[in-house]
Amino acid sequence: MEDNKTSEEKFVPKGAIAFFILFVLLGATIWYGMFFLMLSRHA
Amino acid sequence: MDRNEIKVIVITGLLLATFLFAVLWAADKRHIDVPACIPYNSKYATSKITQLDSNTYQVFVVAKMWQFDPAEIDVPVGSTVDFYLTSKDVTHGFNISDKSVNMMAVFGGVTETSVYFDKPGTYSIVCHEYCGAGHQNMTGKVVVSPKKQK
């Protein structure tokens, strides 16, 4: 029981963090891709 | 609140802030305007092309089933074209390829936008609002010639 508690407290959701960072980067890439495409068409 | 939850909220908030800043920057520094609706006047119901000076044109476009009038617009490269768009019947769309022009032609209304053509070529105009049996044939074009017309 003691070991289980210790391992739960030290748990870091690395997969979720990596997924979140990639998700944010993907969103920003798509958004800015569209943004600069629109700007280039307004040249 | 969990520390990771706070981080997620802060990061997404910063990202949204950069989106907002980019939009405001484009509107201010790049003078990006959205199409404007202006009061209807019967003079807009007649299609014509008017040259204001060497590189500024006014184009009065009348959309009707199933064509744009004028269907072809010839301007020299480096021209700024002010489009005034209306419809004689149903609602039509007005989309110029490779330009951020996405307007509606509405009966009894006038939509205005300004487009700068910096590269020569042929820019297709298509109706992108379904308007009836001949909708798919409703096209036009802007021909931008490489040298100034004399």
Side-chain angles (χ1 to χ4, degrees), chain B residues 82-116:
Chain B
D82 299 326
F83 288 97
Y84 297 90
L85 177 70
T86 190
S87 170
K88 271 199 168 170
D89 37 53
V90 299
T91 300
H92 299 278
F94 186 84
N95 176 257
I96 302 178
S97 64
D98 294 331
K99 290 288 172 190
S100 291
V101 175
N102 176 3
M103 296 200 294
M104 306 297 288
V106 182
F107 178 77
V110 181
T111 316
E112 183 268 336
T113 195
S114 187
V115 185
Y116 177 66

PDB file of all heavy atoms in Angstrom, chain B residues 82-116:
ATOM      1  N   ASP B  82     -11.845  48.997 -57.023  1.00  0.00           N
ATOM      2  CA  ASP B  82     -12.950  49.053 -56.059  1.00  0.00           C
ATOM      3  C   ASP B  82     -14.158  48.365 -56.688  1.00  0.00           C
ATOM      4  O   ASP B  82     -14.650  48.814 -57.720  1.00  0.00           O
ATOM      5  CB  ASP B  82     -13.309  50.498 -55.720  1.00  0.00           C
ATOM      6  CG  ASP B  82     -12.144  51.250 -55.098  1.00  0.00           C
ATOM      7  OD1 ASP B  82     -11.369  50.611 -54.363  1.00  0.00           O
ATOM      8  OD2 ASP B  82     -12.018  52.456 -55.353  1.00  0.00           O
ATOM      9  N   PHE B  83     -14.590  47.288 -56.089  1.00  0.00           N
ATOM     10  CA  PHE B  83     -15.747  46.550 -56.610  1.00  0.00           C
ATOM     11  C   PHE B  83     -17.006  46.992 -55.871  1.00  0.00           C
ATOM     12  O   PHE B  83     -17.020  47.044 -54.632  1.00  0.00           O
ATOM     13  CB  PHE B  83     -15.556  45.043 -56.417  1.00  0.00           C
ATOM     14  CG  PHE B  83     -14.539  44.434 -57.329  1.00  0.00           C
ATOM     15  CD1 PHE B  83     -13.239  44.225 -56.889  1.00  0.00           C
ATOM     16  CD2 PHE B  83     -14.875  44.040 -58.619  1.00  0.00           C
ATOM     17  CE1 PHE B  83     -12.288  43.657 -57.727  1.00  0.00           C
ATOM     18  CE2 PHE B  83     -13.929  43.469 -59.461  1.00  0.00           C
ATOM     19  CZ  PHE B  83     -12.633  43.285 -59.010  1.00  0.00           C
ATOM     20  N   TYR B  84     -18.045  47.299 -56.638  1.00  0.00           N
ATOM     21  CA  TYR B  84     -19.371  47.577 -56.086  1.00  0.00           C
ATOM     22  C   TYR B  84     -20.301  46.515 -56.651  1.00  0.00           C
ATOM     23  O   TYR B  84     -20.503  46.442 -57.863  1.00  0.00           O
ATOM     24  CB  TYR B  84     -19.840  48.978 -56.470  1.00  0.00           C
ATOM     25  CG  TYR B  84     -18.969  50.066 -55.903  1.00  0.00           C
ATOM     26  CD1 TYR B  84     -17.859  50.536 -56.621  1.00  0.00           C
ATOM     27  CD2 TYR B  84     -19.221  50.611 -54.657  1.00  0.00           C
ATOM     28  CE1 TYR B  84     -17.040  51.518 -56.095  1.00  0.00           C
ATOM     29  CE2 TYR B  84     -18.404  51.599 -54.129  1.00  0.00           C
ATOM     30  CZ  TYR B  84     -17.312  52.042 -54.850  1.00  0.00           C
ATOM     31  OH  TYR B  84     -16.486  53.005 -54.325  1.00  0.00           O
ATOM     32  N   LEU B  85     -20.825  45.702 -55.798  1.00  0.00           N
ATOM     33  CA  LEU B  85     -21.535  44.498 -56.232  1.00  0.00           C
ATOM     34  C   LEU B  85     -22.987  44.521 -55.795  1.00  0.00           C
ATOM     35  O   LEU B  85     -23.298  44.824 -54.646  1.00  0.00           O
ATOM     36  CB  LEU B  85     -20.828  43.279 -55.614  1.00  0.00           C
ATOM     37  CG  LEU B  85     -21.429  41.909 -55.865  1.00  0.00           C
ATOM     38  CD1 LEU B  85     -21.257  41.501 -57.321  1.00  0.00           C
ATOM     39  CD2 LEU B  85     -20.762  40.884 -54.952  1.00  0.00           C
ATOM     40  N   THR B  86     -23.868  44.208 -56.751  1.00  0.00           N
ATOM     41  CA  THR B  86     -25.274  44.055 -56.402  1.00  0.00           C
ATOM     42  C   THR B  86     -25.868  42.930 -57.249  1.00  0.00           C
ATOM     43  O   THR B  86     -25.195  42.369 -58.111  1.00  0.00           O
ATOM     44  CB  THR B  86     -26.055  45.373 -56.601  1.00  0.00           C
ATOM     45  OG1 THR B  86     -27.359  45.232 -56.039  1.00  0.00           O
ATOM     46  CG2 THR B  86     -26.175  45.732 -58.076  1.00  0.00           C
ATOM     47  N   SER B  87     -27.109  42.606 -56.987  1.00  0.00           N
ATOM     48  CA  SER B  87     -27.769  41.518 -57.719  1.00  0.00           C
ATOM     49  C   SER B  87     -29.081  42.021 -58.302  1.00  0.00           C
ATOM     50  O   SER B  87     -29.739  42.899 -57.728  1.00  0.00           O
ATOM     51  CB  SER B  87     -28.035  40.347 -56.776  1.00  0.00           C
ATOM     52  OG  SER B  87     -28.865  39.391 -57.412  1.00  0.00           O
ATOM     53  N   LYS B  88     -29.423  41.445 -59.463  1.00  0.00           N
ATOM     54  CA  LYS B  88     -30.699  41.814 -60.073  1.00  0.00           C
ATOM     55  C   LYS B  88     -31.813  40.860 -59.678  1.00  0.00           C
ATOM     56  O   LYS B  88     -32.978  41.108 -59.954  1.00  0.00           O
ATOM     57  CB  LYS B  88     -30.564  41.820 -61.602  1.00  0.00           C
ATOM     58  CG  LYS B  88     -30.114  43.148 -62.149  1.00  0.00           C
ATOM     59  CD  LYS B  88     -30.425  43.275 -63.615  1.00  0.00           C
ATOM     60  CE  LYS B  88     -30.230  44.726 -64.064  1.00  0.00           C
ATOM     61  NZ  LYS B  88     -30.286  44.859 -65.515  1.00  0.00           N
ATOM     62  N   ASP B  89     -31.454  39.732 -59.093  1.00  0.00           N
ATOM     63  CA  ASP B  89     -32.499  38.755 -58.755  1.00  0.00           C
ATOM     64  C   ASP B  89     -32.212  38.112 -57.402  1.00  0.00           C
ATOM     65  O   ASP B  89     -32.402  38.735 -56.377  1.00  0.00           O
ATOM     66  CB  ASP B  89     -32.655  37.725 -59.885  1.00  0.00           C
ATOM     67  CG  ASP B  89     -31.313  37.359 -60.522  1.00  0.00           C
ATOM     68  OD1 ASP B  89     -30.393  36.980 -59.775  1.00  0.00           O
ATOM     69  OD2 ASP B  89     -31.188  37.456 -61.759  1.00  0.00           O
ATOM     70  N   VAL B  90     -31.708  36.896 -57.427  1.00  0.00           N
ATOM     71  CA  VAL B  90     -31.500  36.170 -56.166  1.00  0.00           C
ATOM     72  C   VAL B  90     -30.119  36.503 -55.594  1.00  0.00           C
ATOM     73  O   VAL B  90     -29.353  37.251 -56.182  1.00  0.00           O
ATOM     74  CB  VAL B  90     -31.622  34.640 -56.384  1.00  0.00           C
ATOM     75  CG1 VAL B  90     -33.002  34.285 -56.876  1.00  0.00           C
ATOM     76  CG2 VAL B  90     -30.551  34.158 -57.349  1.00  0.00           C
ATOM     77  N   THR B  91     -29.814  35.927 -54.467  1.00  0.00           N
ATOM     78  CA  THR B  91     -28.507  36.145 -53.846  1.00  0.00           C
ATOM     79  C   THR B  91     -27.440  35.323 -54.568  1.00  0.00           C
ATOM     80  O   THR B  91     -27.622  34.135 -54.824  1.00  0.00           O
ATOM     81  CB  THR B  91     -28.556  35.743 -52.360  1.00  0.00           C
ATOM     82  OG1 THR B  91     -29.545  36.543 -51.709  1.00  0.00           O
ATOM     83  CG2 THR B  91     -27.210  35.970 -51.688  1.00  0.00           C
ATOM     84  N   HIS B  92     -26.361  35.978 -54.923  1.00  0.00           N
ATOM     85  CA  HIS B  92     -25.230  35.319 -55.568  1.00  0.00           C
ATOM     86  C   HIS B  92     -23.980  35.504 -54.705  1.00  0.00           C
ATOM     87  O   HIS B  92     -23.934  36.379 -53.834  1.00  0.00           O
ATOM     88  CB  HIS B  92     -24.968  35.927 -56.952  1.00  0.00           C
ATOM     89  CG  HIS B  92     -26.101  35.789 -57.918  1.00  0.00           C
ATOM     90  ND1 HIS B  92     -26.322  34.639 -58.636  1.00  0.00           N
ATOM     91  CD2 HIS B  92     -27.094  36.648 -58.255  1.00  0.00           C
ATOM     92  CE1 HIS B  92     -27.392  34.806 -59.408  1.00  0.00           C
ATOM     93  NE2 HIS B  92     -27.895  36.011 -59.193  1.00  0.00           N
ATOM     94  N   GLY B  93     -22.972  34.705 -55.025  1.00  0.00           N
ATOM     95  CA  GLY B  93     -21.674  34.852 -54.363  1.00  0.00           C
ATOM     96  C   GLY B  93     -20.688  35.493 -55.318  1.00  0.00           C
ATOM     97  O   GLY B  93     -20.881  35.490 -56.534  1.00  0.00           O
ATOM     98  N   PHE B  94     -19.629  36.043 -54.766  1.00  0.00           N
ATOM     99  CA  PHE B  94     -18.607  36.699 -55.591  1.00  0.00           C
ATOM    100  C   PHE B  94     -17.262  36.406 -54.952  1.00  0.00           C
ATOM    101  O   PHE B  94     -16.903  36.981 -53.928  1.00  0.00           O
ATOM    102  CB  PHE B  94     -18.881  38.206 -55.633  1.00  0.00           C
ATOM    103  CG  PHE B  94     -17.990  38.981 -56.572  1.00  0.00           C
ATOM    104  CD1 PHE B  94     -18.297  39.080 -57.921  1.00  0.00           C
ATOM    105  CD2 PHE B  94     -16.853  39.621 -56.104  1.00  0.00           C
ATOM    106  CE1 PHE B  94     -17.492  39.809 -58.786  1.00  0.00           C
ATOM    107  CE2 PHE B  94     -16.037  40.345 -56.960  1.00  0.00           C
ATOM    108  CZ  PHE B  94     -16.369  40.445 -58.301  1.00  0.00           C
ATOM    109  N   ASN B  95     -16.555  35.468 -55.560  1.00  0.00           N
ATOM    110  CA  ASN B  95     -15.273  35.034 -54.998  1.00  0.00           C
ATOM    111  C   ASN B  95     -14.201  35.156 -56.073  1.00  0.00           C
ATOM    112  O   ASN B  95     -14.371  34.626 -57.172  1.00  0.00           O
ATOM    113  CB  ASN B  95     -15.397  33.586 -54.511  1.00  0.00           C
ATOM    114  CG  ASN B  95     -14.079  33.049 -54.018  1.00  0.00           C
ATOM    115  OD1 ASN B  95     -13.426  32.285 -54.708  1.00  0.00           O
ATOM    116  ND2 ASN B  95     -13.668  33.451 -52.838  1.00  0.00           N
ATOM    117  N   ILE B  96     -13.131  35.869 -55.769  1.00  0.00           N
ATOM    118  CA  ILE B  96     -12.027  36.006 -56.725  1.00  0.00           C
ATOM    119  C   ILE B  96     -10.905  35.082 -56.275  1.00  0.00           C
ATOM    120  O   ILE B  96     -10.439  35.175 -55.127  1.00  0.00           O
ATOM    121  CB  ILE B  96     -11.519  37.457 -56.790  1.00  0.00           C
ATOM    122  CG1 ILE B  96     -12.668  38.404 -57.176  1.00  0.00           C
ATOM    123  CG2 ILE B  96     -10.382  37.587 -57.799  1.00  0.00           C
ATOM    124  CD1 ILE B  96     -12.271  39.864 -57.219  1.00  0.00           C
ATOM    125  N   SER B  97     -10.466  34.216 -57.190  1.00  0.00           N
ATOM    126  CA  SER B  97      -9.430  33.254 -56.830  1.00  0.00           C
ATOM    127  C   SER B  97      -8.129  33.970 -56.499  1.00  0.00           C
ATOM    128  O   SER B  97      -7.781  34.979 -57.116  1.00  0.00           O
ATOM    129  CB  SER B  97      -9.204  32.266 -57.982  1.00  0.00           C
ATOM    130  OG  SER B  97      -8.723  32.947 -59.110  1.00  0.00           O
ATOM    131  N   ASP B  98      -7.401  33.430 -55.551  1.00  0.00           N
ATOM    132  CA  ASP B  98      -6.113  33.953 -55.096  1.00  0.00           C
ATOM    133  C   ASP B  98      -6.202  35.345 -54.489  1.00  0.00           C
ATOM    134  O   ASP B  98      -5.173  36.002 -54.285  1.00  0.00           O
ATOM    135  CB  ASP B  98      -5.069  33.959 -56.227  1.00  0.00           C
ATOM    136  CG  ASP B  98      -4.727  32.552 -56.666  1.00  0.00           C
ATOM    137  OD1 ASP B  98      -4.825  31.636 -55.824  1.00  0.00           O
ATOM    138  OD2 ASP B  98      -4.373  32.370 -57.844  1.00  0.00           O
ATOM    139  N   LYS B  99      -7.371  35.801 -54.238  1.00  0.00           N
ATOM    140  CA  LYS B  99      -7.573  37.067 -53.533  1.00  0.00           C
ATOM    141  C   LYS B  99      -8.579  36.811 -52.422  1.00  0.00           C
ATOM    142  O   LYS B  99      -9.505  36.021 -52.603  1.00  0.00           O
ATOM    143  CB  LYS B  99      -8.096  38.156 -54.476  1.00  0.00           C
ATOM    144  CG  LYS B  99      -7.084  38.633 -55.496  1.00  0.00           C
ATOM    145  CD  LYS B  99      -6.026  39.471 -54.807  1.00  0.00           C
ATOM    146  CE  LYS B  99      -4.872  39.807 -55.737  1.00  0.00           C
ATOM    147  NZ  LYS B  99      -3.750  40.417 -55.018  1.00  0.00           N
ATOM    148  N   SER B 100      -8.407  37.484 -51.327  1.00  0.00           N
ATOM    149  CA  SER B 100      -9.328  37.259 -50.215  1.00  0.00           C
ATOM    150  C   SER B 100     -10.604  38.065 -50.425  1.00  0.00           C
ATOM    151  O   SER B 100     -10.900  38.985 -49.673  1.00  0.00           O
ATOM    152  CB  SER B 100      -8.660  37.647 -48.903  1.00  0.00           C
ATOM    153  OG  SER B 100      -7.631  36.733 -48.619  1.00  0.00           O
ATOM    154  N   VAL B 101     -11.320  37.727 -51.479  1.00  0.00           N
ATOM    155  CA  VAL B 101     -12.586  38.398 -51.768  1.00  0.00           C
ATOM    156  C   VAL B 101     -13.697  37.361 -51.662  1.00  0.00           C
ATOM    157  O   VAL B 101     -13.707  36.369 -52.390  1.00  0.00           O
ATOM    158  CB  VAL B 101     -12.590  39.034 -53.169  1.00  0.00           C
ATOM    159  CG1 VAL B 101     -13.954  39.610 -53.486  1.00  0.00           C
ATOM    160  CG2 VAL B 101     -11.529  40.115 -53.244  1.00  0.00           C
ATOM    161  N   ASN B 102     -14.587  37.592 -50.746  1.00  0.00           N
ATOM    162  CA  ASN B 102     -15.671  36.656 -50.481  1.00  0.00           C
ATOM    163  C   ASN B 102     -16.895  37.496 -50.140  1.00  0.00           C
ATOM    164  O   ASN B 102     -17.090  37.881 -49.001  1.00  0.00           O
ATOM    165  CB  ASN B 102     -15.261  35.749 -49.314  1.00  0.00           C
ATOM    166  CG  ASN B 102     -16.362  34.803 -48.913  1.00  0.00           C
ATOM    167  OD1 ASN B 102     -17.425  34.764 -49.524  1.00  0.00           O
ATOM    168  ND2 ASN B 102     -16.124  34.045 -47.857  1.00  0.00           N
ATOM    169  N   MET B 103     -17.665  37.832 -51.193  1.00  0.00           N
ATOM    170  CA  MET B 103     -18.767  38.769 -50.989  1.00  0.00           C
ATOM    171  C   MET B 103     -20.086  38.146 -51.439  1.00  0.00           C
ATOM    172  O   MET B 103     -20.111  37.183 -52.201  1.00  0.00           O
ATOM    173  CB  MET B 103     -18.531  40.046 -51.799  1.00  0.00           C
ATOM    174  CG  MET B 103     -17.306  40.817 -51.359  1.00  0.00           C
ATOM    175  SD  MET B 103     -17.342  42.538 -51.881  1.00  0.00           S
ATOM    176  CE  MET B 103     -17.252  42.396 -53.653  1.00  0.00           C
ATOM    177  N   MET B 104     -21.156  38.742 -50.973  1.00  0.00           N
ATOM    178  CA  MET B 104     -22.487  38.337 -51.377  1.00  0.00           C
ATOM    179  C   MET B 104     -23.091  39.438 -52.237  1.00  0.00           C
ATOM    180  O   MET B 104     -22.975  40.615 -51.912  1.00  0.00           O
ATOM    181  CB  MET B 104     -23.393  38.121 -50.161  1.00  0.00           C
ATOM    182  CG  MET B 104     -22.840  37.161 -49.136  1.00  0.00           C
ATOM    183  SD  MET B 104     -22.639  35.510 -49.762  1.00  0.00           S
ATOM    184  CE  MET B 104     -24.332  35.003 -49.862  1.00  0.00           C
ATOM    185  N   ALA B 105     -23.733  39.030 -53.330  1.00  0.00           N
ATOM    186  CA  ALA B 105     -24.485  39.973 -54.158  1.00  0.00           C
ATOM    187  C   ALA B 105     -25.952  39.817 -53.784  1.00  0.00           C
ATOM    188  O   ALA B 105     -26.546  38.766 -54.016  1.00  0.00           O
ATOM    189  CB  ALA B 105     -24.268  39.675 -55.639  1.00  0.00           C
ATOM    190  N   VAL B 106     -26.497  40.846 -53.181  1.00  0.00           N
ATOM    191  CA  VAL B 106     -27.856  40.769 -52.650  1.00  0.00           C
ATOM    192  C   VAL B 106     -28.742  41.775 -53.372  1.00  0.00           C
ATOM    193  O   VAL B 106     -28.339  42.937 -53.558  1.00  0.00           O
ATOM    194  CB  VAL B 106     -27.859  41.051 -51.129  1.00  0.00           C
ATOM    195  CG1 VAL B 106     -29.251  40.931 -50.563  1.00  0.00           C
ATOM    196  CG2 VAL B 106     -26.906  40.112 -50.407  1.00  0.00           C
ATOM    197  N   PHE B 107     -29.920  41.331 -53.766  1.00  0.00           N
ATOM    198  CA  PHE B 107     -30.872  42.231 -54.405  1.00  0.00           C
ATOM    199  C   PHE B 107     -31.222  43.371 -53.446  1.00  0.00           C
ATOM    200  O   PHE B 107     -31.568  43.140 -52.288  1.00  0.00           O
ATOM    201  CB  PHE B 107     -32.144  41.449 -54.789  1.00  0.00           C
ATOM    202  CG  PHE B 107     -33.198  42.315 -55.401  1.00  0.00           C
ATOM    203  CD1 PHE B 107     -33.091  42.738 -56.718  1.00  0.00           C
ATOM    204  CD2 PHE B 107     -34.305  42.704 -54.656  1.00  0.00           C
ATOM    205  CE1 PHE B 107     -34.067  43.542 -57.290  1.00  0.00           C
ATOM    206  CE2 PHE B 107     -35.287  43.506 -55.224  1.00  0.00           C
ATOM    207  CZ  PHE B 107     -35.162  43.924 -56.532  1.00  0.00           C
ATOM    208  N   GLY B 108     -31.122  44.607 -53.933  1.00  0.00           N
ATOM    209  CA  GLY B 108     -31.460  45.747 -53.083  1.00  0.00           C
ATOM    210  C   GLY B 108     -30.344  46.163 -52.145  1.00  0.00           C
ATOM    211  O   GLY B 108     -30.550  47.031 -51.292  1.00  0.00           O
ATOM    212  N   GLY B 109     -29.175  45.557 -52.301  1.00  0.00           N
ATOM    213  CA  GLY B 109     -28.037  45.916 -51.445  1.00  0.00           C
ATOM    214  C   GLY B 109     -26.775  46.050 -52.270  1.00  0.00           C
ATOM    215  O   GLY B 109     -26.687  45.510 -53.375  1.00  0.00           O
ATOM    216  N   VAL B 110     -25.808  46.765 -51.753  1.00  0.00           N
ATOM    217  CA  VAL B 110     -24.531  46.939 -52.451  1.00  0.00           C
ATOM    218  C   VAL B 110     -23.412  46.555 -51.493  1.00  0.00           C
ATOM    219  O   VAL B 110     -23.390  46.996 -50.342  1.00  0.00           O
ATOM    220  CB  VAL B 110     -24.335  48.407 -52.917  1.00  0.00           C
ATOM    221  CG1 VAL B 110     -23.018  48.549 -53.657  1.00  0.00           C
ATOM    222  CG2 VAL B 110     -25.482  48.858 -53.792  1.00  0.00           C
ATOM    223  N   THR B 111     -22.495  45.718 -51.985  1.00  0.00           N
ATOM    224  CA  THR B 111     -21.332  45.336 -51.200  1.00  0.00           C
ATOM    225  C   THR B 111     -20.098  45.897 -51.877  1.00  0.00           C
ATOM    226  O   THR B 111     -19.981  45.821 -53.106  1.00  0.00           O
ATOM    227  CB  THR B 111     -21.210  43.805 -51.109  1.00  0.00           C
ATOM    228  OG1 THR B 111     -22.504  43.261 -50.852  1.00  0.00           O
ATOM    229  CG2 THR B 111     -20.277  43.400 -49.996  1.00  0.00           C
ATOM    230  N   GLU B 112     -19.212  46.458 -51.099  1.00  0.00           N
ATOM    231  CA  GLU B 112     -18.044  47.128 -51.672  1.00  0.00           C
ATOM    232  C   GLU B 112     -16.776  46.566 -51.054  1.00  0.00           C
ATOM    233  O   GLU B 112     -16.723  46.291 -49.849  1.00  0.00           O
ATOM    234  CB  GLU B 112     -18.154  48.630 -51.388  1.00  0.00           C
ATOM    235  CG  GLU B 112     -17.046  49.472 -51.980  1.00  0.00           C
ATOM    236  CD  GLU B 112     -15.874  49.697 -51.044  1.00  0.00           C
ATOM    237  OE1 GLU B 112     -16.073  49.618 -49.815  1.00  0.00           O
ATOM    238  OE2 GLU B 112     -14.761  49.926 -51.544  1.00  0.00           O
ATOM    239  N   THR B 113     -15.776  46.375 -51.893  1.00  0.00           N
ATOM    240  CA  THR B 113     -14.450  46.036 -51.372  1.00  0.00           C
ATOM    241  C   THR B 113     -13.397  46.550 -52.332  1.00  0.00           C
ATOM    242  O   THR B 113     -13.687  46.879 -53.488  1.00  0.00           O
ATOM    243  CB  THR B 113     -14.290  44.521 -51.154  1.00  0.00           C
ATOM    244  OG1 THR B 113     -13.144  44.269 -50.338  1.00  0.00           O
ATOM    245  CG2 THR B 113     -14.082  43.770 -52.471  1.00  0.00           C
ATOM    246  N   SER B 114     -12.181  46.610 -51.867  1.00  0.00           N
ATOM    247  CA  SER B 114     -11.083  47.130 -52.660  1.00  0.00           C
ATOM    248  C   SER B 114     -10.007  46.060 -52.774  1.00  0.00           C
ATOM    249  O   SER B 114      -9.648  45.434 -51.777  1.00  0.00           O
ATOM    250  CB  SER B 114     -10.530  48.378 -51.960  1.00  0.00           C
ATOM    251  OG  SER B 114      -9.582  48.999 -52.779  1.00  0.00           O
ATOM    252  N   VAL B 115      -9.526  45.840 -53.999  1.00  0.00           N
ATOM    253  CA  VAL B 115      -8.540  44.783 -54.226  1.00  0.00           C
ATOM    254  C   VAL B 115      -7.355  45.364 -54.988  1.00  0.00           C
ATOM    255  O   VAL B 115      -7.528  46.086 -55.962  1.00  0.00           O
ATOM    256  CB  VAL B 115      -9.148  43.621 -55.056  1.00  0.00           C
ATOM    257  CG1 VAL B 115      -8.138  42.486 -55.177  1.00  0.00           C
ATOM    258  CG2 VAL B 115     -10.430  43.129 -54.434  1.00  0.00           C
ATOM    259  N   TYR B 116      -6.155  45.027 -54.521  1.00  0.00           N
ATOM    260  CA  TYR B 116      -4.939  45.455 -55.200  1.00  0.00           C
ATOM    261  C   TYR B 116      -4.373  44.268 -55.979  1.00  0.00           C
ATOM    262  O   TYR B 116      -4.138  43.203 -55.398  1.00  0.00           O
ATOM    263  CB  TYR B 116      -3.930  45.960 -54.173  1.00  0.00           C
ATOM    264  CG  TYR B 116      -2.594  46.360 -54.772  1.00  0.00           C
ATOM    265  CD1 TYR B 116      -2.496  47.438 -55.639  1.00  0.00           C
ATOM    266  CD2 TYR B 116      -1.443  45.634 -54.477  1.00  0.00           C
ATOM    267  CE1 TYR B 116      -1.292  47.796 -56.192  1.00  0.00           C
ATOM    268  CE2 TYR B 116      -0.222  45.989 -55.022  1.00  0.00           C
ATOM    269  CZ  TYR B 116      -0.145  47.075 -55.878  1.00  0.00           C
ATOM    270  OH  TYR B 116       1.065  47.423 -56.435  1.00  0.00           O
TER     271      TYR B 116
END
